[in-house]
């Protein structure tokens, strides 16, 4: 269960990502030659497909073939041409191919299309398609209404292939019905794919997905491996003999982190080639120059070169967040050049590009954006673990001791990393109101290696909560924090922690819990992604009910004393609103001040809802800032 990789999880989901006068860069891709970048850029209006020079960041071209469309998923063909998707007022998605002469339609699909990729021979384009979709792909999206006969029909994301030279509106998926395809990569001979797939419900079954080969002509599926970990980003070696992927304990599709594994394309036992590393791999690319990685190592994001069995050789490193394409950076075909959108708490997003050891900022559209906060990385030790987090303070802090809100990230397999604090963001509102914010990365988080990520198995709310409380002590030793005015907030797994902590400590004077879990027993039978719990609990709820009861706040509700504001989306399938209703009812019955708001038609963590931000600030002002 996640909100985002970045820690601004507190209330950033309740506010626009960036101010309207800032430029944002989405879906960044790098040309195979490493000389050009393409993305979709927004500057207060519609986003345009924009091509820039890697050398100096200047705009070389904008592409806008549909004035009423929104664009996404730009990517390069092997010859340097560009492919992207467009959605307009009309139903469906259009696949465009742009060369030097202009952009033309390759296909119009009556459904959802994602992740277009051109074959190595340049003749075909593959994409993931969902025909007749009942909802947007992904468990964090608002779910379809639960009416009629339940569980008999699921959205199917399948692989489809289109001829570059053709135009079609009739789409026949290549991969077989009943199998959900999450990610894929072409084989170098253009005759097939490697993919992560699962049978049945795509939202629920990613945690048991297999690594498979799919024939590009027949669609026949052959299993390569059934890893014991969750898997992301399958990548085929240039010689076509080996597949690499990121494997690890992951609580959400898209919240990527783990070690790098390799396995023969013909099939076999996966081999961990980064075992024991004290960092988390979040992106891989297999270039002609070898494997390239993005890792989170403590408080830094690093681009690096990986030789299997050896430590990653780091290049660019910065305490920041990086993003590009379907990962954290993109690399040229020879592996020499890297590019990404980079930001931190005080610096708005900018494109960085260049040789992997000398990546530098090449766009300056947002250089005038104000730095509204002072942020620092904080480290502490607890129970033998090295733990890290972020402390955010107002740029102009008031004299005397200040109240502080601790913000717990979702996941639990995720990490809080720096994202720009824009003037309209929820974090900016909290800082403006005089609060410090603390964003810990306790055990169970990414950034310290796979053993650290797995350290909360069968221990939710145990060691990770103790890490958080020890982190608050560490912050109080270095910053003017008033221990009598502490608050706690989080969404998803952070929402669970906010509910659970209420039964374990009276240290917090006010709590905000978004899309939290209060009863793991009832949650198991009512959520839409129950498979995610098995790697963490070891058994299903029906086979080990006590393990689920032991970490359920409702079973210890009599100990909860802290006033709590609860919010959740009506159509949240990751953490259904019944979890919030149960906790609201428990607190209300026990005389604890509580407020619950269920937002109509909203999905997980209610993204983009300003009322959440308003109510959150008001709740903390009432119970934390004015605490005696």
């Amino acid at each position: 269960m996640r909100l985002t990789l970045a820690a601004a999880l507190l209330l950033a989901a309740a506010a626009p990502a960036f101010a309207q006068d800032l430029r944002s860069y989405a879906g960044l891709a790098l040309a195979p030659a490493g000389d050009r970048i393409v993305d979709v850029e927004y500057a207060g209006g519609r986003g345009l497909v924009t091509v820039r020079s890697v050398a100096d960041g200047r705009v070389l071209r904008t592409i806008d073939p549909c004035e009423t469309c929104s664009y996404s998923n730009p990517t390069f063909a092997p010859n340097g041409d560009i492919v992207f998707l467009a959605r307009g007022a009309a139903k469906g998605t259009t696949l465009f191919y742009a060369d030097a002469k202009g952009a033309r339609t390759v296909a119009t699909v009556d459904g959802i299309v994602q992740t277009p990729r051109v074959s190595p021979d340049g003749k075909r384009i593959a994409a993931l398609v969902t025909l007749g979709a009942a909802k947007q792909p992904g468990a964090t999206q608002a779910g379809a209404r639960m009416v009629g006969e339940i569980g008999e029909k699921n959205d199917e994301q399948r692989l489809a292939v289109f001829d570059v030279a053709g135009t079609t509106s009739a789409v026949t998926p290549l991969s077989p019905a009943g199998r959900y395809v999450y990610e894929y990569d072409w084989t170098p001979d253009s005759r097939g794919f490697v993919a992560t797939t699962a049978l049945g419900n795509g939202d629920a079954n990613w945690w048991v997905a297999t690594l498979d080969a799919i024939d590009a002509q027949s669609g026949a599926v052959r299993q390569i491996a059934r890893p014991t970990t969750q898997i992301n980003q399958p990548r085929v070696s240039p010689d076509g003999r080996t597949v690499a992927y990121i494997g690890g304990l992951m609580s959400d599709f898209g919240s990527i982190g783990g070690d790098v594994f390799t396995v023969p394309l013909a099939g076999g036992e996966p081999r961990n080639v980064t075992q024991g590393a004290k960092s988390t791999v979040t992106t891989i690319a297999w270039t002609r120059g070898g494997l390239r990685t993005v890792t989170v190592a403590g408080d830094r994001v690093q681009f690096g070169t990986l030789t299997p069995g050896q430590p990653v050789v780091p290049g660019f490193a910065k305490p920041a967040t990086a993003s590009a394409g379907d990962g954290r950076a993109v690399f040229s075909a020879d592996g020499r050049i890297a590019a990404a959108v980079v930001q931190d708490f005080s610096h708005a997003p900018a494109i960085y590009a260049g040789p992997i050891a000398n990546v530098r900022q090449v766009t300056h559209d947002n250089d005038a954006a104000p730095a509204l906060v002072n942020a620092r990385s904080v480290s502490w030790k607890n129970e033998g673990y090295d733990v890290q987090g972020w402390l955010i303070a107002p740029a102009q802090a008031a004299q005397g001791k200040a109240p502080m809100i601790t913000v717990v990230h979702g996941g639990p397999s995720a990490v809080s990393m720096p994202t720009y604090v824009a003037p309209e963001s929820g974090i900016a509102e909290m800082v403006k109101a005089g609060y410090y914010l603390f964003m810990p990365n306790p055990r169970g988080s990414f950034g310290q290696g796979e053993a650290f990520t797995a350290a909360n198995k069968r221990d939710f709310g145990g060691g990770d909560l103790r890490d958080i409380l020890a982190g608050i002590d560490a912050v109080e030793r270095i910053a003017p924090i008033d221990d009598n005015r502490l608050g706690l907030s989080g969404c998803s797994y952070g929402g669970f922690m906010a509910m659970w902590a209420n039964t374990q400590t009276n240290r917090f004077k006010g709590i905000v819990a978004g899309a939290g879990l209060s009863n793991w027993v009832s949650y198991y039978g009512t959520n839409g992604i129950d498979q995610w719990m098995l790697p963490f609990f070891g058994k299903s709820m029906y086979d080990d009910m006590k393990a689920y009861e032991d970490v359920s706040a409702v079973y210890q509700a009599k100990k909860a004393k802290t006033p709590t504001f609860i919010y959740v989306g009506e159509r949240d399938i990751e953490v259904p609103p019944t979890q919030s209703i149960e906790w609201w009812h428990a607190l209300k019955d026990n005389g604890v001040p509580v407020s619950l708001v269920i937002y109509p038609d909203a999905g997980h963590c209610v993204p983009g809802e300003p009322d959440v931000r308003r109510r959150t600030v008001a709740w903390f002002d009432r119970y934390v800032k004015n605490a005696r």
Side-chain angles (χ1 to χ4, degrees):
M1 305 170 300
R2 80 183 189 283
L3 188 50
T4 67
L5 177 69
L9 305 183
L10 164 64
L11 307 162
F18 305 113
Q20 299 230 334
D21 56 349
L22 291 183
R23 182 174 292 269
S24 63
Y25 313 91
L28 186 77
L30 180 63
D35 60 338
R36 290 172 298 140
I37 292 163
V38 65
D39 64 359
V40 180
E41 299 192 10
Y42 300 82
R46 286 178 56 247
L48 300 180
V49 178
T50 304
V51 183
R52 291 179 179 265
S53 165
V54 163
D56 55 17
R58 63 192 168 89
V59 175
L60 303 176
R61 180 185 181 189
T62 59
I63 308 171
D64 186 18
C66 173
E67 293 183 353
T68 61
C69 290
S70 60
Y71 302 117
S72 65
N73 287 251
T75 189
F76 282 97
N79 67 354
D81 291 343
I82 295 168
V83 172
F84 59 94
L85 301 175
R87 289 185 67 86
K91 189 176 181 181
T93 307
T94 301
L95 176 63
F96 279 100
Y97 187 98
D99 56 19
K101 298 177 181 178
R104 58 180 176 81
T105 298
V106 173
T108 300
V109 180
D110 186 8
I112 298 170
V113 184
Q114 296 190 113
T115 322
R117 288 187 175 140
V118 183
S119 61
D121 64 12
K123 296 179 180 179
R124 289 172 292 173
I125 304 170
L128 299 175
V129 301
T130 306
L131 306 179
K135 60 182 284 294
Q136 291 294 318
T140 61
Q141 302 295 326
R145 293 178 63 215
M146 297 286 280
V147 294
E149 188 173 5
I150 303 302
E152 294 303 305
K153 185 179 186 303
N154 300 304
D155 285 354
E156 293 184 348
Q157 183 168 266
R158 299 166 65 185
L159 195 60
V161 178
F162 308 92
D163 188 343
V164 165
T167 302
T168 182
S169 58
V171 179
T172 302
L174 173 71
S175 59
R179 182 177 294 271
Y180 196 101
V181 180
Y182 299 95
E183 299 176 287
Y184 73 97
D185 191 24
W186 281 95
T187 56
D189 60 7
S190 300
R191 297 172 61 184
F193 308 91
V194 293
T196 56
T197 81
L199 297 174
N201 186 307
D203 287 337
N205 292 331
W206 172 73
W207 291 268
V208 293
T210 54
L211 183 67
D212 302 307
I214 301 176
D215 186 88
Q217 293 299 325
S218 67
V221 177
R222 171 181 61 83
Q223 187 174 112
I224 299 171
R226 183 184 289 274
T228 57
T229 64
Q230 288 68 64
I231 54 178
N232 268 110
Q233 295 191 352
R235 303 289 186 256
V236 187
S237 62
D239 64 8
R241 298 172 59 185
T242 308
V243 181
Y245 64 87
I246 298 174
L249 183 66
M250 295 181 241
S251 49
D252 294 271
F253 176 73
S255 184
I256 301 169
D259 286 323
V260 179
F261 290 76
T262 60
V263 62
L265 179 60
E269 188 67 27
R271 181 170 70 98
N272 188 339
V273 299
T274 56
Q275 189 163 10
K278 299 300 183 183
S279 59
T280 302
V281 179
T282 61
T283 296
I284 57 172
W286 209 326
T287 73
R288 293 196 305 268
L291 281 166
R292 299 294 182 263
T293 64
V294 180
T295 59
V296 175
D299 62 2
R300 291 177 173 262
V301 62
Q302 296 181 344
F303 302 170
T305 299
L306 172 62
T307 300
Q310 299 180 20
V312 172
V313 177
F316 171 81
K318 188 177 178 66
T321 292
S323 60
D326 60 357
R328 299 292 157 189
V330 284
F331 300 89
S332 59
D334 61 9
R336 290 180 54 254
I337 306 298
V341 179
V342 177
Q343 58 183 305
D344 61 30
F345 291 118
S346 299
H347 297 91
I351 296 175
Y352 280 58
I356 192 168
N358 190 32
V359 174
R360 60 185 179 83
Q361 184 177 345
V362 297
T363 63
H364 299 274
D365 307 286
N366 296 328
D367 283 1
L372 302 179
V373 301
N374 289 323
R376 63 185 295 185
S377 177
V378 181
S379 298
W380 65 98
K381 289 184 177 292
N382 188 50
E383 300 175 2
Y385 290 100
D386 294 315
V387 194
Q388 182 272 337
W390 301 95
L391 178 63
I392 299 176
Q396 302 294 328
Q399 295 296 316
K401 290 194 172 185
M404 184 176 78
I405 309 301
T406 296
V407 185
V408 183
H409 65 64
S413 306
V415 62
S416 292
M417 290 293 283
T419 56
Y420 178 61
V421 179
E424 294 86 356
S425 68
I427 291 180
E429 287 293 316
M430 294 296 295
V431 169
K432 185 168 63 175
Y435 296 94
Y436 281 59
L437 299 178
F438 175 48
M439 298 176 172
N441 289 313
R443 69 188 79 171
S445 304
F446 295 151
Q448 310 274 6
E450 188 62 14
F452 186 82
T453 302
N456 67 347
K457 293 173 79 170
R458 294 183 68 86
D459 190 37
F460 285 175
D464 48 7
L465 177 57
R466 296 193 297 275
D467 286 348
I468 291 168
L469 295 175
I472 294 172
D473 293 338
V475 168
E476 290 182 350
R477 290 192 289 269
I478 63 173
I481 303 303
D482 186 346
D483 188 64
N484 292 314
R485 294 191 292 164
L486 299 177
L488 180 65
S489 179
C491 193
S492 195
Y493 187 81
F496 152 72
M497 188 65 74
M499 293 175 175
W500 173 253
N502 203 346
T503 70
Q504 304 299 303
T505 177
N506 293 321
R507 191 167 183 180
F508 303 106
K509 299 300 187 292
I511 289 174
V512 172
L517 294 92
S518 62
N519 185 346
W520 290 90
V521 175
S522 61
Y523 172 74
Y524 192 94
T526 56
N527 78 88
I529 55 168
D530 57 359
Q531 293 296 306
W532 86 266
M533 289 176 280
L534 298 182
F536 291 90
F537 283 91
K539 295 180 180 179
S540 79
M541 184 273 295
Y542 306 111
D543 293 321
D544 190 3
M545 187 176 293
K546 187 174 186 304
Y548 291 78
E549 292 174 345
D550 286 347
V551 291
S552 295
V554 292
Y555 288 85
Q556 303 188 41
K558 286 289 185 182
K559 296 193 289 185
K561 306 296 181 186
T562 306
T564 302
F565 164 52
I566 307 166
Y567 68 91
V568 67
E570 176 199 11
R571 292 164 60 188
D572 189 340
I573 62 172
E574 280 218 354
V575 186
T578 49
Q579 290 295 304
S580 293
I581 294 170
E582 282 196 60
W583 192 232
W584 168 80
H585 194 280
L587 295 181
K588 197 171 186 299
D589 271 16
N590 284 287
V592 179
V594 62
S595 172
L596 167 63
V597 178
I598 301 176
Y599 290 90
D601 296 320
H604 192 50
C605 288
V606 199
E609 177 51 67
D611 187 61
V612 174
R613 175 179 59 184
R614 180 186 64 79
R615 289 176 181 269
T616 295
V617 174
W619 194 265
F620 284 137
D621 282 351
R622 180 178 180 182
Y623 291 104
V624 176
K625 182 183 286 186
N626 297 317
R628 294 289 185 267

